[in-house]
Amino acid sequence: MCRWLGYVGDPIEPRELLYDTERSLIEQSRFHSPEAPVPNGDGTGLGWYGRRERPPLFRSAAPAWGDENLRELASEVSSGLFLAHVRAATGTPVQETNSHPFRYGNWLFVHNGFVKDFPAIRRQLLMAVREDLFPCILGSTDSELLFHLALTFGLEEDPIGSLERMTGFVESVAGESGIDGALQMTIGLTDGHSLTAVRYASSGPVNSLFVSSDVAAVRQLYPEIGRLSHVPENARVVVSEPLAALPGLWREVPAGSALTISVGSEVDERPFQPIAPR
């Protein structure tokens, strides 16, 4: 299982969530847990928004815990919206182009999960990608292919709807090949203005996903914890696993749900329902 993190709010240094919390994303990448039985040592990445509409991207095939370039960068950048990812490979090579986030224009995409029996249906899925998008696929992961299928199905106009159509399509192709339980996924997606998060699996248990509660309320619950005092009141964090063991700070995202989070707005939650192709 991979792990990822998304932040929306007033600008902070990514280091504060990647390194400084009790169970930071980088610390989580080093150790096993019931949710992630293998360490996430197969690459890492960070994408953020700043001066330009197109987000800068840092990706590496090195384990996150040993990447000093990531540590330096995360301490110098300040951003109000970013996505970070630590990878545990599920059959495709450990290489920079297979590290998340994936980028297209002003969009960033991260994924935790897999397409079951991916090699058996990879060609069919690839052939469905819109022709002009095909050269943009630089790696070999199922995750990057899911992103480009969502782009094919209208992501730029309808983010959640495109993910539902992508999911329905993948499940349909897998079903025709006799593959059950085709998809396991949590997804983070952003255009630099809002963050979309999805938690879904075709069958069985779903990989974990949590969203932070209102920061002002958390400060009242834990006034003695100084490291919460500087967190912006409009901050929201979506994580694969909680970054700190503080009751009231994290809410588990229900399976089969999609969230949309914008700066200063309440979390918009709706059911996530795959749409089968006609």
Side-chain angles (χ1 to χ4, degrees):
M1 179 181 115
C2 303
R3 293 179 174 96
W4 62 269
L5 174 155
Y7 172 83
V8 180
D10 288 343
I12 64 170
E13 295 173 7
R15 184 206 75 247
E16 297 183 46
L17 300 179
L18 269 62
Y19 290 94
D20 291 355
T21 58
E22 177 184 322
R23 277 185 47 80
S24 69
L25 186 69
I26 305 306
E27 187 67 15
Q28 289 179 21
S29 73
R30 297 163 60 96
F31 299 109
H32 301 209
S33 75
E35 292 81 11
V38 295
N40 305 112
D42 298 326
T44 185
L46 171 68
W48 69 96
Y49 294 84
R51 293 180 299 159
R52 300 178 179 86
E53 185 176 5
R54 180 176 168 86
L57 194 62
F58 171 86
R59 296 194 296 176
S60 170
W65 60 80
D67 199 316
E68 288 302 316
N69 289 325
L70 176 61
R71 182 185 289 273
E72 292 283 339
L73 181 66
S75 300
E76 291 300 318
V77 169
S78 180
S79 175
L81 203 163
F82 56 85
L83 281 174
H85 188 277
V86 289
R87 182 176 182 236
T90 56
T92 48
V94 177
Q95 60 192 46
E96 186 175 304
T97 54
N98 282 345
S99 295
H100 308 218
F102 301 104
R103 178 179 62 189
Y104 177 80
N106 63 316
W107 291 89
L108 292 174
F109 177 97
V110 293
H111 170 236
N112 170 27
F114 57 83
V115 175
K116 187 177 178 181
D117 295 337
F118 178 56
I121 57 175
R122 180 171 179 262
R123 182 180 181 277
Q124 290 172 271
L125 299 180
L126 277 169
M127 295 304 292
V129 172
R130 205 173 71 206
E131 186 176 354
D132 64 299
L133 293 171
F134 199 86
C136 301
I137 301 175
L138 303 179
S140 56
T141 64
D142 50 359
S143 303
E144 187 179 19
L145 181 48
L146 294 179
F147 179 35
H148 285 82
L149 284 171
L151 286 163
T152 298
F153 292 132
L155 181 147
E156 293 167 284
E157 294 76 32
D158 180 13
I160 294 176
S162 73
L163 294 173
E164 291 175 327
R165 290 186 287 274
M166 174 273 288
T167 300
F169 174 74
V170 172
E171 290 179 334
S172 176
V173 170
E176 291 172 359
S177 298
I179 300 169
D180 297 323
L183 274 171
Q184 168 71 253
M185 65 185 197
T186 66
I187 285 174
L189 173 72
T190 178
D191 61 353
H193 301 287
S194 63
L195 173 66
T196 296
V198 171
R199 185 185 182 206
Y200 175 81
S202 302
S203 64
V206 190
N207 287 344
S208 60
L209 192 66
F210 297 83
V211 62
S212 62
S213 301
D214 179 76
V215 173
V218 174
R219 286 175 178 164
Q220 293 175 19
L221 286 171
Y222 306 101
E224 73 283 1
I225 302 178
R227 58 188 164 82
L228 295 176
S229 62
H230 71 288
V231 177
E233 290 192 8
N234 61 4
R236 294 282 187 173
V237 185
V238 181
V239 291
S240 296
E241 293 183 55
L243 302 179
L246 296 175
L249 179 52
W250 304 103
R251 176 175 69 86
E252 186 171 9
V253 177
S257 296
L259 308 180
T260 303
I261 308 171
S262 300
V263 177
S265 301
E266 293 298 316
V267 177
D268 179 40
E269 183 176 315
R270 55 172 271 190
F272 183 83
Q273 300 173 326
I275 301 172
R278 297 178 181 177

